[in-house]
Amino acid sequence: MQAQGSTKVHAETGREMQKINILGMSLTDYSFKEAIGITDRFLGNGSLNTILFVSAKILVGAGSAAKKQAWIEAADLIVWSDAEIVRQAGVMAKNRIHEVENQEYFKEILRRFGRGGNPLYLLADSEEELEKLGHDLKSFREDLNIAGAGIVGGMQAEWENEANRINELAPVAIISRMQFEKQAEIVESMKQFLNAEIWLALDNEMIPDSRRVPLLRKLLSKWDHHVFQKLLSESRRMNRQDEKSDRTSE
């Protein structure tokens, strides 16, 4: 069971990238090096670019919901937080699967932030989740320069207050971790008003060290993968039926 895919050459890097059509969405799988190169170009380009971390669970949740799919496709860069996606997309290279499983992109970005002392701003939707996010990041890189942190709840005024704080600090990066729909709405609403260079919108179940994932979460992840595979199988079956109908009508 695989998503449909094709290989093309990135216009700027000259490297191969994998274009995939998955559950009705046209997405691109960039290798670790490609994603880092794209991020380097985001830094200092004068606009805020969004980097969305996507799991199989997020893709299942998007399903056939046009708005959720639009949020995913609108991201300036998509990074998989779940290796099951690249497996089902037909990416067979073991090194690529390892890159996703080991969260190589995210770890490298944190390393660079730590070494460079880049000011970061953290966002979450509760005090508890904000503390967890800060702890998770610091447990991986103690030298991260967390210049500010804030909570964005359901009130528009809270979003505006956080936007003002972020713009005063002008961080290099915003790092947020929330439930997908809420995070997508906040990114969509706030992005154009913020003075930062990149926004890392993390999968809300993502932590830097996958070895620390609790057993229950691992079991739930297996279930998400099962549902994801079933949806892909059904999508492919329907596509085959549509193609057969088109040939018959001709």
Side-chain angles (χ1 to χ4, degrees), residues 33-246:
K33 289 183 179 179
E34 289 169 338
I36 290 295
I38 291 169
T39 305
D40 285 341
R41 291 192 293 279
F42 286 165
L43 296 171
N45 72 359
S47 62
L48 174 58
N49 294 101
T50 55
I51 301 171
L52 179 63
F53 290 75
V54 174
S55 65
K57 181 177 181 178
I58 288 174
L59 291 178
V60 169
S64 58
K67 188 171 184 179
K68 293 179 182 179
Q69 291 191 358
W71 283 333
I72 294 172
E73 293 178 320
D76 296 302
L77 175 63
I78 292 174
V79 177
W80 309 126
S81 60
D82 190 336
E84 187 63 21
I85 297 172
V86 291
R87 291 191 186 97
Q88 293 301 319
V91 178
M92 304 305 294
K94 292 183 179 179
N95 64 323
R96 177 65 189 125
I97 294 173
H98 176 75
E99 288 173 358
V100 179
E101 287 180 333
N102 201 37
Q103 300 180 11
E104 294 289 346
Y105 170 84
F106 185 53
K107 291 178 179 179
E108 177 60 23
I109 290 298
L110 292 187
R111 289 188 191 100
R112 292 185 179 204
F113 288 158
R115 289 197 305 265
N118 304 111
L120 310 175
Y121 197 96
L122 309 187
L123 285 177
D125 56 6
S126 71
E127 185 68 37
E128 180 183 5
E129 291 302 318
L130 189 61
E131 290 181 5
K132 286 181 180 178
L133 176 58
H135 177 269
D136 285 343
L137 295 175
K138 283 285 192 176
S139 67
F140 183 72
R141 292 292 302 195
E142 292 185 359
D143 56 355
L144 291 175
N145 176 15
I146 299 176
I151 300 168
V152 282
M155 301 287 291
Q156 188 70 31
E158 293 180 348
W159 300 9
E160 294 173 358
N161 289 337
E162 285 307 316
N164 291 333
R165 294 188 187 101
I166 291 169
N167 290 337
E168 288 176 5
L169 289 171
V172 165
I174 299 164
I175 302 179
S176 62
R177 187 173 64 183
M178 288 173 261
Q179 187 268 344
F180 173 69
E181 288 85 352
K182 183 172 187 178
Q183 182 158 250
E185 288 179 354
I186 291 172
V187 170
E188 183 179 54
S189 298
M190 294 178 65
K191 176 184 175 180
Q192 60 184 319
F193 304 113
L194 300 181
N195 182 17
E197 298 184 32
I198 58 175
W199 186 333
L200 300 171
L202 307 183
D203 170 9
N204 73 320
E205 295 183 355
M206 180 179 171
I207 58 177
D209 189 348
S210 59
R211 293 171 299 179
R212 294 171 49 230
V213 176
L215 176 59
L216 177 59
R217 185 178 293 184
K218 289 182 179 179
L219 293 175
L220 291 174
S221 178
K222 288 184 178 181
W223 172 251
D224 293 333
H225 292 169
H226 173 69
V227 175
F228 179 57
Q229 291 166 9
K230 287 189 67 175
L231 284 175
L232 282 179
S233 180
E234 178 64 16
S235 177
R236 294 184 68 205
R237 185 185 66 81
M238 293 179 66
N239 286 339
R240 287 195 298 269
Q241 287 182 343
D242 290 343
E243 291 172 359
K244 185 176 180 180
S245 297
D246 290 342

